[in-house]
Amino acid sequence: MPGRLQHRAALVTGAGSGIGLETSLLFAQEGANVLLVDVNLAAAEKAASIIAERFPGIKAAAFKADVAKEQDIKAAVDKTVELFGRLDVMFNNAGIMHPEDDNALNTEERIWDLTMQINVKGVWWGCKYAILAMRNNPIDEAKGLHAGGSIVNTASFVAVMGAATPQLAYTASKGAVLAMTRELAMVHAREGIRINAICPGPLKTPLLMDFLNTQEKRDRRLVHLPMGRFGEAVEVAKGALFLASDDSSYVTGTDFMVDGGLSSCY
Ligand code: NAD
């Protein structure tokens, strides 16, 4: 059976770890060629070597880029088109949760600015250059390739509800990602470009485990989780695959919750 992303080209940011890594593996498994973008080149290269070993025939290349820099994102999109001839799927996933992020009284402006630069501007620029590339995607009906594409932006459950452990800059940044996604989806829907946000709940990845760095902090977060456990990155990757593929052809502008029920329960 052909994969759900057969003949497609994908770019994943933050591909060296957590959600980005698991999603890159899933995209490759479903037939996509993938540009693995990360500020940590060694991690992206490791991801590329896993794909080469597990999925022969799939093209995967590591690319060093800092999503906080517009030129880096442009270069990554250009590289995808150069290597694979098109860009069908853009996963704007890289983000940070700074260990010094705190409440309104304690968060320093430099932490706020850094968080916004990566989490918000990085997604804006990722969308900007993906839209420009997707407009030029060649149509190939025999291969099921159409114009336009799918952009998936990683927001968070904190985009729709307050976090119990204060992280004001992060929460504000993810609210911005969700709001931006909705407007972009409206504006570009008639070009065949779907733009969705995926909103993970608390996951067992380095990003959150480094932030909740004591058992007490983890236990405090666990109290709020209906399933009584942190999620796995691969559980979010499966949602990202749905949004990336034609399985979600009538879905755009959504906040796709993969949060173990957190946002629906009290
Ligand atoms: P992670 O720390 O496991 O992986 C993040 C990856 O992004 C790393 O490889 C890192 O090197 C890369 N990265 C960081 N800054 C970058 C930059 N400026 N440019 C390029 N690459 C950069 O984190 P994760 O848990 O997989 O998080 C991925 C996304 O999911 C983030 O946007 C995060 O905010 C979001 N998210 C995570 C959780 C969670 O609980 N882990 C929950 C909701 C949302």
Side-chain angles (χ1 to χ4, degrees):
M1 205 170 104
R4 277 179 280 179
L5 296 177
Q6 194 85 18
H7 306 301
R8 310 247 166 134
L11 189 166
V12 177
T13 69
S17 174
I19 297 170
L21 174 60
E22 294 298 337
T23 306
S24 300
L25 299 180
L26 214 48
F27 283 1
Q29 184 182 311
E30 292 292 329
N33 296 319
V34 192
L35 193 78
L36 304 146
V37 173
D38 207 291
V39 74
N40 180 344
L41 182 61
E45 284 173 341
K46 188 158 178 225
S49 68
I50 297 172
I51 291 177
E53 194 184 304
R54 287 192 200 167
F55 311 111
I58 293 296
K59 294 181 203 155
F63 191 86
K64 183 179 165 85
D66 179 352
V67 300
K69 296 180 182 154
E70 183 173 5
Q71 284 315 307
D72 279 20
I73 297 187
K74 182 180 184 309
V77 170
D78 288 348
K79 190 72 183 174
T80 309
V81 175
E82 179 195 319
L83 289 176
F84 311 138
R86 55 193 298 116
L87 175 66
D88 300 284
V89 177
M90 179 79 177
F91 188 26
N92 290 309
N93 167 71
I96 61 156
M97 181 186 283
H98 200 284
E100 293 170 53
D101 197 356
D102 202 332
N103 58 27
L105 308 183
N106 297 332
T107 301
E108 292 176 30
E109 193 175 358
R110 69 185 167 86
I111 303 300
W112 178 277
D113 289 345
L114 179 66
T115 303
M116 293 297 165
Q117 186 75 22
I118 294 173
N119 293 8
V120 182
K121 282 194 187 172
V123 172
W124 164 34
W125 290 323
C127 290
K128 173 179 170 179
Y129 290 102
I131 289 163
L132 290 169
M134 286 172 178
R135 282 179 173 166
N136 294 324
N137 272 340
I139 299 169
D140 185 337
E141 281 174 15
K143 289 185 173 168
L145 297 174
H146 46 71
S150 173
I151 299 175
V152 183
N153 298 328
T154 304
S156 167
F157 73 97
V158 299
V160 297
M161 60 195 300
T165 37
Q167 42 183 41
L168 192 70
Y170 181 82
T171 298
S173 76
K174 293 303 185 178
V177 168
L178 185 52
M180 191 163 49
T181 299
R182 289 179 175 137
E183 180 172 311
L184 287 165
M186 281 299 298
V187 171
H188 298 283
R190 292 187 186 208
E191 296 181 66
I193 300 174
R194 295 185 300 106
I195 307 172
N196 289 289
I198 194 159
C199 298
L203 307 179
K204 219 187 295 169
T205 67
L207 177 131
L208 188 66
M209 294 302 110
D210 290 351
F211 183 74
L212 304 177
N213 54 8
T214 65
Q215 195 55 45
E216 191 193 342
K217 286 184 194 167
R218 290 177 194 183
D219 288 345
R220 185 160 174 222
R221 186 64 68 90
L222 276 169
V223 169
H224 299 276
L225 300 182
M227 292 186 184
R229 66 171 178 87
F230 291 106
E232 303 288 343
V234 70
E235 295 177 299
V236 178
K238 288 175 186 170
L241 172 63
F242 169 70
L243 295 173
S245 74
D246 290 348
D247 285 354
S248 59
S249 54
Y250 201 53
V251 180
T252 197
T254 192
D255 45 352
F256 191 89
M257 312 302 298
V258 185
D259 66 351
L262 176 57
S263 56
S264 304
C265 305
Y266 174 69

